[in-house]
Amino acid sequence: MLKTDHGKGSAGGDASENKSFPKSKALHERACETLAGGVSSQFRAAGAPHPMFYVRAEGAQIWDADDNALLDFTLSQGPCILGHSHPELTGRVNESLKVGQLFAGQHMDELELAEAVKACVPAAERVRFAVSGSEAAHALLRLARYVTGRPKFIKFIGHYHGWLDNVSFSINPPRDETNAPPRPVAWSGGVPAALADDVIVLPWNDLALVEEAMATHGTQIAAIITEPVMCNQGCIEPLPGFLEGLSRLCDEHGSALIFDEIITGFRLGASGAQGHFGVTPDMALFGKALGAGFPLAALVGREKFMAPLANGEVYHAGTLNASNASIAAGRAVIDVMGRNNGEGYRHIRRLGCRMRDGIAAIGDQGRLDVRVQGPGPMFHMGFSERARATSYDHVLDYDKAMYGRFCAGMLARGVRLIERGLWYVSLAHTDEDIDHALATVREVLEEIGH
Ligand SMILES: Cc1ncc(COP(=O)(O)O)c(C=O)c1O
């Protein structure tokens, strides 16, 4: 594991010293003249005090344009499970590039990565590689519709399955749009209204409502798609029996169960959430951690659902699929995380749980209602009177402005967080990093009124 140089940029400075970001600010202003909104993904526009510019990253740290060293709990929105620039990752990627970058034909590493995914993931009787999670979700819904001959799918309120049109509904709707029976709320301008006819949105973790929807619309429902942990809103774990119930309902009604494992995959363990919870879906999609920062996603499924890809009745394509660098990255992740019988997964779980429980303990000692929840390798932090969130409605209770102040305080002290409350821990984090981050959490909470 790589050593972290706490609070020191190459220009020096210490952790208690407030960081400032004048170069990032100026660069962002310049970028706005050319890049739309100054960014290449809408999620990057949210960064406070303004989107940041970065110049390098190593291990658990990332350096910004002002040469501030930041301890990184974003893992760049999740992918950098090995930390930044892990030597085995970059070594294997560099090696792969010596023989070419994209064959647009089959290669041995691609086959071996597919075999490794198949060996790890229960639902992966067949595998296809893609570049992003968004397109993988799109491909699996297409397959579900073709195999079942049905038009509609169930999607849960607050779940995110990428930015493409068919799933761009009820990702973060206002509270008055979440009451039963909720209607699909377009997430973005430009999403065709007609697509809403084929989406049934439901609150998550409420099996009775899914049961009711399946009883009413079952013959029309191609698939239920779900994050097996509601990572994108509150990092909420499934209530006991919920995933099992979805699986049973899909079996009873002839629909496909799709697990979106873009966040849980190769993070909760090599077998993903499906191994962790012991529920095998019909199909699943992987990305983020699998590619460790390189463009790699996998769509996997039972033979029955993947057969139309094999015989060409359903199309899935992509010029850049299975490029040498991405495949080499995927192989490095599976090897490095899986080494010594999955030591990497145990490491991120242990440190994540330490961080999560450490924040909870600090929270218990003060005035603010600090809440943490989630399995450990990723977890959510927020401020709410409610002790535990189990649904999207509860997530709306979090005091977002307070968390924004908390994040700004952490950033000013050199800890980089995702502003919607999700924390990620990587293989490169150490116990010392957790101690340092916990001390910083204590300081910042005190500052904002704990
Ligand atoms: C659960 C989930 N599914 C799908 C996606 C989309 O993946 P990508 O950004 O690779 O298109 C994301 C991205 O954050 C995600 O969190």
Side-chain angles (χ1 to χ4, degrees), residues 404-415:
R405 286 176 60 203
F406 172 77
C407 280
M410 293 293 283
L411 185 67
R413 283 169 179 73
V415 180

Side-chain angles (χ1 to χ4, degrees), residues 132-134 160-163 227 232 260 262-263 285 288:
S132 73
S134 299
Y160 180 65
H161 304 297
W163 64 276
E227 292 181 63
N232 278 300
D260 181 338
I262 292 289
I263 293 181
L285 56 142
K288 293 207 194 257

Side-chain angles (χ1 to χ4, degrees), residues 207-292:
L207 195 59
L209 287 181
V210 186
E211 211 143 17
E212 206 178 295
M214 290 300 268
T216 314
H217 306 284
T219 55
Q220 292 287 294
I221 292 178
I224 298 178
I225 184 166
T226 184
E227 292 181 63
V229 175
M230 183 158 136
C231 300
N232 278 300
Q233 298 279 358
C235 208
I236 298 172
E237 294 187 74
L239 290 174
F242 182 69
L243 296 179
E244 292 82 348
L246 295 184
S247 175
R248 173 179 55 77
L249 287 170
C250 282
D251 286 348
E252 283 172 13
H253 291 273
S255 309
L257 179 60
I258 301 174
F259 276 4
D260 181 338
E261 297 235 36
I262 292 289
I263 293 181
T264 53
F266 298 96
R267 192 181 317 271
L268 285 186
S271 56
Q274 50 198 273
H276 182 72
F277 293 112
V279 178
T280 304
D282 296 300
M283 295 184 276
L285 56 142
F286 293 81
K288 293 207 194 257
L290 177 61

